[in-house]
Amino acid sequence: MSQVLSEPVSSEILLVPRGEAGHFLTAALGWLGKRITVTAQPGTANHVLCLPVLDFVRLGFPEANGRLDLLEPGDAENLRAGRAALLLDLSNEGPGLHAPTFEALHRNLAGLDIPRDRVILVTQNRLLRLDYERLYGEGLRFWTFEFFPLQVALWLDAEAGPRLFPQHALDRTGYTPFARASGPARFLCQNAALRWHRVLLYRWFQLNGLDRDGLISFHGIGEDNPKAGGINVFHAPPEIEAAFGPLLADVGSWIPRRARRIDADQGTDMVMTLDTGAYAECDLTVISETDFFELGVERITEKSIKAAATGLPFVMVGAPRAVERLSELGFQTFGGLIDHQYDFAAEPAERLPLVFRSIERAWATCRGDRARWHRLAREQAEANVAHARTGLLPQLDRVMVAPLIVRLARFMETGAIVH
């Protein structure tokens, strides 16, 4: 495995899983060979009780007392006495603040006399702590950990991948960016789970004639899209209708009832797949991220990691500062070719028109002189492919994993839980 840089930690870190599926954080630290001990019986030492949240709203479900019924006899007493910390593992998601969920969690904790400051919520969303403290003040501790981006980084890594997953993402295909030198310019845009920004993006492509130039997947509202139930395209929220009503006009006449795919349906959840053939055919990619209209979210998912790893210049249709996040992870962002001003717009109704403008300008430049586009982008493109294979995993460890390990070690030594 590639050498992963971490601050030296002398304390043994005891992680105590409660419940079955969904221990993302524990699995990731094990994959990385971190100095942790996973045990069901911690004895008298300080220890971290790990509860799998799986999805955000389960913290508010009355069933299983909002997941807290997964705790075993003695756990609550250890939490009250300061010998344990309760880690709610939501590192597979990054939602914004949902007040009823947190209020239910507070009630459930109070019912067991578990102090809020003994509870760590691990999430991908870096803004959640700020919004929580505006409403509730000090209480829960918030840590950031991004499971699926880390999983994909392991998969992409030149050395780590084969130990964990059945095949490399890039190596075995001999992939290089801009391998297709002849033919018309093309862009790529992949959309699966139904979300409002993807509906609007798809229609914008159609109305502007870009659907003829791109490899565009859109899985639509049919039964062959298992993630079609997230929204009702015939009843837009008022703020989306007010800002983008013309794009949604007569939606029933153009929304696909059957998935329009550009890749083979292999019955997977698509996290650990990468259609290098599609990227090899294209010169630009429009990354359709998970988040756009939900306020109070700052994160990227594995979708952006995979797209950046292919090396194509990109426009991001995602949350604010998503491009900045890729830069923090060591990827080139093609600032000389792509106008990423949209990345700083917090309001979705302001950001989406800026995204459209960026796509339009980038595509006009690419299509106008494809050979020049390749020349200007190639160095950054090749750097991104190389970074995905050798640099991304150590960088994620430096900026995300190592700080978390240090916090865990501090708790083991002192009992203190810090943000």
Side-chain angles (χ1 to χ4, degrees), residues 20 58 69 161 280 298 320 322 372:
E20 299 299 328
R58 292 190 190 211
D69 281 358
E298 185 176 313
R372 180 175 179 271

Side-chain angles (χ1 to χ4, degrees), residues 37-65:
T37 298
V38 179
T39 178
Q41 303 296 330
T44 60
N46 288 347
H47 57 279
V48 179
L49 297 159
C50 300
L51 279 190
V53 174
L54 299 177
D55 56 74
F56 191 45
V57 294
R58 292 190 190 211
L59 291 174
F61 283 178
E63 305 93 87
N65 198 26

Side-chain angles (χ1 to χ4, degrees), residues 138-201:
E138 277 284 331
L140 305 181
R141 302 308 192 221
F142 289 86
W143 293 358
T144 300
F145 196 88
E146 299 167 283
F147 174 77
F148 288 116
L150 180 62
Q151 186 184 29
V152 168
L154 280 158
W155 182 53
L156 292 166
D157 191 81
E159 296 180 25
R163 301 190 182 189
L164 298 172
F165 307 107
Q167 64 180 15
H168 269 310
L170 299 175
D171 302 17
R172 293 186 179 180
T173 62
Y175 173 84
T176 57
F178 309 134
R180 184 179 63 92
S182 60
R186 304 183 83 170
F187 70 88
L188 175 67
C189 184
Q190 302 184 80
N191 306 271
L194 201 65
R195 297 182 181 271
W196 281 112
H197 63 286
R198 292 172 180 160
V199 173
L200 295 167
L201 178 64

